[in-house]
Amino acid sequence: MKARIVVTLKNGVLDPQGKAIEAALKSFGIEDVSGVRQGKVFDLEVASENREQAEATLKAACEKLLANTVVENYTVEIA
Amino acid sequence: MKARIVVTLKNGVLDPQGKAIEAALKSFGIEDVSGVRQGKVFDLEVASENREQAEATLKAACEKLLANTVVENYTVEIA
């Protein structure tokens, strides 16, 4: 099964990278973009027998490695 | 308008980071995940009068800064 995991910063967590991107966009003359927040996306294959097992595997992958659950949220989409 | 930009590597482009993540997942005992490819996601606000103008602004942001269009694809989703 194909799946996509999106990891984003929790609300309230400062995103200096997002601020830097916003400033860079302005320097390129792109003025009307604000509140930029950067995250990560993982596209992958999961070899599970059923959807529930795939979700459990991907949840474990996020909790153990892909997301820092103290400051990040993650969403799992299974195609 | 809220928007999300997803930047991913083009097919055929090697993803060493994805390979490293795959190996790390295996070391955590998560065996049935393969073909990991990492990308970037940007959540932002765009202050445009209409949808077409917002799309044009976001396309320019991708082409100028957010995506390396030689090796990356980008998708723009406007909420």
Side-chain angles (χ1 to χ4, degrees), chain A residues 5 7 16 38 40 43-44 46 55 65 67:
Chain A
I5 293 171
V7 177
Q38 179 169 354
K40 297 170 284 193
D43 290 325
L44 46 84
V46 54
E55 268 166 20
L65 181 70

Side-chain angles (χ1 to χ4, degrees), chain A residues 5-9 39-42 66-68 72-75, chain B residues 41:
Chain A
I5 293 171
V6 178
V7 177
T8 52
L9 285 170
K40 297 170 284 193
V41 61
F42 302 95
L66 302 179
N68 172 352
E72 291 175 327
N73 292 318
Y74 63 85
T75 58
Chain B
V41 62

Side-chain angles (χ1 to χ4, degrees), chain A:
Chain A
M1 283 179 236
K2 283 196 183 298
R4 168 167 282 188
I5 293 171
V6 178
V7 177
T8 52
L9 285 170
K10 290 183 176 177
N11 288 334
V13 175
L14 196 64
D15 182 4
Q17 205 162 357
K19 289 273 175 260
I21 290 167
E22 211 167 304
L25 285 173
K26 286 189 170 42
S27 72
F28 279 113
I30 298 172
E31 300 289 340
D32 43 2
V33 168
S34 61
V36 178
R37 294 188 52 91
Q38 179 169 354
K40 297 170 284 193
V41 61
F42 302 95
D43 290 325
L44 46 84
E45 291 269 344
V46 54
S48 299
E49 272 123 48
N50 55 55
R51 212 179 167 81
E52 287 68 32
Q53 198 184 347
E55 268 166 20
T57 298
L58 296 173
K59 187 172 188 305
C62 290
E63 299 277 338
K64 288 182 180 178
L65 181 70
L66 302 179
N68 172 352
T69 51
V70 173
V71 291
E72 291 175 327
N73 292 318
Y74 63 85
T75 58
V76 173
E77 300 156 31
I78 298 175

